Amino acid sequence: VTSDSSKAKCIASKITDHQYFDNGESLPGESMIPGKDYYYFVKAGNAAGYNKLFSNGAMGWRKLSAPETIDASDGTSLDCVLVRWNDVAGASYYHVYRSSEIEGTKESLGSWQTDTQYEDKTAEPGMTYYYYVVAAVDNRGRRPSDYSIIEDGYRGVPVVPQSLEISGESSISSGGSVTYTCDLIYSNDTRDKN
C-alpha cells in the first residue's frame, strides 16, 4: 500500500520463478481492495541469504469485478428504461452502455456516475435495447472492469385509441369551444413479436 520499501510486508519467500501472482490472500486478515494501488518490492538471495537492499518498487492493482446483477425495465415507464445494478467492491463510478442488437456496437450513455441506476430517456418506445455496465475507480473511468452481463429492456409504448365516442350534453356559445379529455393508457408489451 505504501511506496516506502521500509514499510513493506513480506507476502512470499523462496520463490524460484521470475514472477509471482498475488491473489490478495497472502497476508492473514488482510484482503486486497480491487482498484487500489499496491507497491511491490523484491529482494534477491541465494543459499547464503538475502540481499539487504530492495529492488525499485513497481505499482499494481487488482482488477475490479464487473457488476454481477443488472436489471432493465420492460415497458413499465413511458419516460425511460430504468437500468439498475449492484455496487462493486473498490469501484466509485459506473458507466452505462447499450446496443440495439445482442452482438451490436455498444453505445455510451451519459457519463461516469456514482449512482447505481440510470434512466435511459433516449430509448425509442417499444424498441428492445441491450444494456451493459462498467465499473471504475474514478470519474475518468480509470481501471475499468469488464462489461457486466447483458440485460435487455424497453420503454413503454402509449396506446392510442382507434376510435373515441363522447356522449353527453354540451352547449357552445358563439365563438366558444368544448374540450374533452380522456386518460392515456399504455400497454406493458406492444413490441413486434416477429
Side-chain angles (χ1 to χ4, degrees):
V1 179
T2 176
S3 59
D4 180 357
S5 62
S6 68
K7 296 180 181 176
K9 297 177 182 179
C10 180
I11 58 171
S13 61
K14 300 181 181 177
I15 298 171
T16 57
D17 201 352
H18 291 97
Q19 63 183 1
Y20 173 76
F21 177 72
D22 185 0
N23 64 6
E25 300 173 3
S26 305
L27 297 172
E30 294 184 31
S31 296
M32 286 182 76
I33 299 169
K36 184 175 181 178
D37 293 343
Y38 290 90
Y39 293 87
Y40 294 87
F41 305 91
V42 176
K43 277 187 178 182
N46 56 27
Y50 286 99
N51 188 328
K52 293 183 179 180
L53 301 176
F54 282 101
S55 67
N56 291 329
M59 185 183 70
W61 62 88
R62 188 174 182 181
K63 188 169 185 169
L64 295 172
S65 298
E68 294 175 0
T69 57
I70 178 173
D71 180 64
S73 60
D74 293 324
T76 56
S77 170
L78 293 178
D79 299 325
C80 67
V81 178
L82 179 61
V83 183
R84 296 178 178 168
W85 58 92
N86 65 289
D87 284 320
V88 172
S92 299
Y93 286 83
Y94 304 92
H95 199 90
V96 180
Y97 297 82
R98 78 170 184 207
S99 62
S100 55
E101 299 174 2
I102 291 179
E103 298 295 327
T105 302
K106 295 172 182 69
E107 173 189 358
S108 172
L109 298 177
S111 58
W112 290 97
Q113 63 177 54
T114 57
D115 211 357
T116 55
Q117 68 177 33
Y118 179 82
E119 293 181 348
D120 181 8
K121 295 184 177 183
T122 63
E124 291 292 328
M127 181 172 175
T128 298
Y129 292 96
Y130 302 91
Y131 293 91
Y132 311 80
V133 179
V134 173
V137 297
D138 64 21
N139 64 356
R140 294 180 294 158
R142 288 188 319 119
R143 301 180 186 165
S145 70
D146 292 330
Y147 288 103
S148 68
I149 59 170
I150 187 172
E151 174 69 8
D152 65 283
Y154 64 95
R155 184 174 176 175
V157 179
V159 174
V160 179
Q162 297 299 317
S163 64
L164 181 63
E165 285 185 31
I166 300 174
S167 62
E169 296 179 22
S170 65
S171 62
I172 305 173
S173 59
S174 176
S177 64
V178 175
T179 303
Y180 292 96
T181 60
C182 66
D183 291 330
L184 178 66
I185 58 172
Y186 69 94
S187 166
N188 282 340
D189 193 353
T190 58
R191 298 176 294 167
D192 184 3
K193 302 296 184 186
N194 295 329

